[in-house]
Amino acid sequence: MAAAPLRVLACGDVEGRLETLFGRVRAIQGKSGRFDMLLCVGNFFGSTSETEWAEYRTGAKKAPIPTYVLGANDQETVSFFPDVSGCELAENITYLGRRGLYSGTSGLQIAYLSGTESQDEPAPAYSFSAKDVAELKTSLLSTPSFKGVDILLTSPWPRDVGTFANSAYLYAFSIVPMSLMDPAELVKQPQDVTENPYRKSRKEAQKTKAPLCAEEEPACQFFFDLDKHQGKKRPSDGKERGNSQPKQAKKPPQPTGPCWFCLASPEVEKHLVVSIGTHCYLALAKGGLLPDHVLILPIGHYQSVVDLSSEVVEEVTKYKSALKEFFRSKGKRYVLFERNYRSQHLQLQVIPVPLDHCTSEDIKESFIVQAQEQQIELLEIPEHSDITQVAQPGTPYFYVELDTGEKLFHRIRGRFPLHFGREVLASEALLALPQRADWRRCAAERAEEAAQARAFRRDFQPFDFALRA
């Protein structure tokens, strides 16, 4: 009889937000059933977490699941970890230690390495060195019966780990300890696996000097701290490795029929356009949730953000920055969402929300709660991550981004409510405009639309980088 798999949750930087973390764990378990453990990497504690932590340390509150954490990543949080070899910090919360191997009663084996990478010997209490890596490796390989570990935990990103991965705030998976697996089953490739992110040429491997980080990158920091190139596609100057010939710029795909959003298309309602850049333009939304509800759109035909060229991505980023500054000048923050589902042209919906009406946490919670009510798994992804790391071209998805950089993501695998983004923002918890959740009920006369566009264009002019180009 095959062994039952363990159900595991993993997360990155908690930064002392224990109530937020464990609240989400409870919500997930309420929806999906009990999990066996929670593994935390990155910063578990924050510089201001003492008050919240005291309730767990004294037993006033208890973690809802056995939780295993790595050690400090900076000097400010070293004091939270009294024993370098690992100990129980509170009921159901265990510090694994500086480095070593954790063997659970289930047979699961977890190798771990705490802290950030350091070039110093000996490394500070919140770091590890190349010597620490070598000693951990030696201790594992010296065991006569060693065949491998089930899980490796480190706070920094291993090089290339983001390739093909869904880097979610909370990631759930099932695993059978290899000690309980049949040898034939152990080497069998499971279904639905991605490509190996660590595969590289021998030439590239010879260039790698640091144990976990690329030599041309600064020392890696926390679990969600990607390298300096994250969030951007490679420049299209043709100077890629192993290729001395410049490549021709890739042309965007052409629409298969009439497109309402390609700027050169006769179907575009140009009276709604308020700004035109080199690769993108800005237009008021037809039937907008609010009079200043706008869309960021590529001039050429692209289906989603993950299909964009680097030049278009750069200009989208400029429009985001300009809109953030514009709305903040009016006492508002923006919420951006994209629905890459049953649409042929990318539309980034940008909707302002008054700053004094709700916080960014209120907005995130509204999306998460209403997603759970509709059995939609909406996950928080790292602030410094890029959407191209969690979705491949052609993948249907729903994506939310706040002007603080916080992001939520749902991979669509079946049916999805077309008006979900507007419904959340129109709900009583946020804008309290439920009657405007469906854009078709918000139609206005062309003259009124044109007047709104002129007013927006006039107000936005001081922030419009396209006018200064």
Side-chain angles (χ1 to χ4, degrees):
M1 182 177 178
L6 296 171
R7 305 184 73 212
V8 182
L9 288 171
C11 78
D13 291 312
V14 177
E15 295 286 359
R17 300 187 297 269
L18 304 183
E19 285 299 287
T20 299
L21 170 67
F22 293 134
R24 291 180 183 174
V25 169
R26 292 185 186 95
I28 290 172
Q29 292 199 128
K31 172 186 173 183
S32 304
R34 181 181 175 275
F35 282 78
D36 296 286
M37 64 176 66
L38 168 64
L39 305 177
C40 299
V41 298
N43 273 346
F44 185 73
F45 295 106
S47 58
T48 59
S49 58
E50 180 58 44
T51 301
E52 197 167 325
W53 168 238
E55 296 182 298
Y56 290 88
R57 179 171 47 81
T58 61
K61 291 184 178 180
K62 175 184 173 182
I65 184 175
T67 302
Y68 299 88
V69 307
L70 293 181
N73 289 303
D74 52 48
Q75 184 62 51
E76 288 72 21
T77 56
V78 168
S79 61
F80 287 98
F81 303 93
D83 191 332
V84 296
S85 60
C87 60
E88 184 179 79
L89 299 177
E91 187 175 0
N92 255 5
I93 302 178
T94 300
Y95 163 48
L96 291 171
R98 290 286 298 274
R99 67 172 188 266
L101 179 68
Y102 169 82
S103 299
T105 56
S106 63
L108 188 72
Q109 291 194 312
I110 303 173
Y112 56 88
L113 189 65
S114 290
T116 59
E117 187 176 13
S118 171
Q119 303 301 319
D120 298 329
E121 292 285 1
Y126 52 87
S127 298
F128 65 87
S129 65
K131 182 180 179 182
D132 291 314
V133 176
E135 290 181 354
L136 174 60
K137 182 178 179 180
T138 300
S139 68
L140 294 175
L141 296 178
S142 62
T143 304
S145 59
F146 180 76
K147 295 180 180 179
V149 297
D150 297 292
I151 298 172
L152 170 64
L153 294 182
T154 66
S155 285
W157 277 96
R159 184 184 185 191
D160 298 327
V161 72
T163 309
F164 315 120
N166 180 347
S167 308
Y169 178 83
L170 273 174
Y171 177 74
F173 63 94
S174 297
I175 186 171
V176 176
M178 65 169 59
S179 60
L180 304 180
M181 294 180 68
D182 182 88
E185 190 68 23
L186 186 60
V187 298
K188 181 180 178 182
Q189 179 169 303
Q191 297 180 346
D192 302 324
V193 296
T194 63
E195 295 180 45
N196 181 0
Y198 307 116
R199 183 178 290 121
K200 53 189 172 183
S201 68
R202 182 175 299 177
K203 182 178 180 181
E204 287 181 297
Q206 291 172 345
K207 293 182 180 179
T208 304
K209 296 181 180 178
L212 290 176
C213 303
E215 64 180 20
E216 68 273 16
E217 297 166 0
C220 294
Q221 297 295 315
F222 311 121
F223 183 76
F224 289 145
D225 187 10
L226 303 182
D227 64 41
K228 60 187 176 183
H229 299 300
Q230 74 84 26
K232 297 181 181 178
K233 298 194 175 182
R234 293 181 180 179
S236 56
D237 58 3
K239 297 179 181 178
E240 298 178 355
R241 292 181 182 176
N243 180 15
S244 60
Q245 297 297 322
K247 291 186 176 181
Q248 296 295 322
K250 185 178 179 181
K251 293 182 179 180
Q254 299 303 306
T256 56
C259 181
W260 292 96
F261 300 104
C262 286
L263 192 57
S265 170
E267 282 79 20
V268 170
E269 298 197 65
K270 291 185 171 60
H271 67 287
L272 293 172
V273 175
V274 294
S275 173
I276 301 177
T278 305
H279 305 285
C280 302
Y281 70 101
L282 206 64
L284 288 191
K286 191 171 183 66
L289 185 58
L290 297 167
D292 47 0
H293 173 178
V294 292
L295 308 178
I296 303 175
L297 302 142
I299 292 174
H301 189 77
Y302 294 88
Q303 183 173 338
S304 70
V305 163
V306 299
D307 295 307
L308 297 179
S309 67
S310 58
E311 297 88 352
V312 184
V313 170
E314 183 178 357
E315 196 157 278
V316 166
T317 303
K318 287 184 178 180
Y319 269 122
K320 287 181 184 178
S321 297
L323 287 170
K324 176 180 179 178
E325 188 179 356
F326 169 64
F327 285 127
R328 290 291 175 122
S329 73
K330 294 182 173 294
K332 301 176 183 179
R333 71 175 82 244
Y334 78 62
V335 180
L336 177 151
F337 66 85
E338 177 195 4
R339 188 197 74 228
N340 182 29
Y341 172 74
R342 293 180 63 179
S343 60
Q344 66 164 332
H345 192 109
L346 166 63
Q347 304 162 52
L348 294 178
Q349 310 269 344
V350 184
I351 299 173
V353 177
L355 284 168
D356 59 0
H357 190 70
C358 52
T359 66
S360 60
E361 281 299 316
D362 294 332
I363 296 170
K364 284 196 300 183
E365 283 301 311
S366 292
F367 272 97
I368 291 169
V369 169
Q370 293 190 51
Q372 290 173 346
E373 292 174 355
Q374 300 189 48
Q375 297 185 325
I376 296 170
E377 188 179 29
L378 194 58
L379 302 173
E380 185 169 357
I381 63 175
E383 179 179 338
H384 300 294
S385 290
D386 182 72
I387 185 67
T388 58
Q389 293 177 303
V390 297
Q392 299 297 312
T395 300
Y397 62 83
F398 177 79
Y399 171 72
V400 182
E401 180 179 325
L402 306 187
D403 66 5
T404 56
E406 296 162 286
K407 306 177 183 76
L408 301 171
F409 175 85
H410 169 67
R411 180 174 179 179
I412 299 173
R413 291 183 169 85
R415 296 180 62 84
F416 185 82
L418 297 181
H419 299 123
F420 177 72
R422 282 184 64 132
E423 287 171 350
V424 175
L425 286 162
S427 66
E428 294 294 337
L430 296 180
L431 293 174
L433 297 169
Q435 72 280 6
R436 300 188 66 84
D438 188 336
W439 72 272
R440 292 168 296 189
R441 298 179 181 176
C442 305
E445 295 294 330
R446 184 183 179 91
E448 182 181 353
E449 291 176 339
Q452 289 178 345
R454 285 194 298 271
F456 188 99
R457 192 181 302 116
R458 180 189 64 245
D459 292 345
F460 184 66
Q461 186 172 346
F463 307 88
D464 191 352
F465 66 90
L467 297 176
R468 299 188 293 272

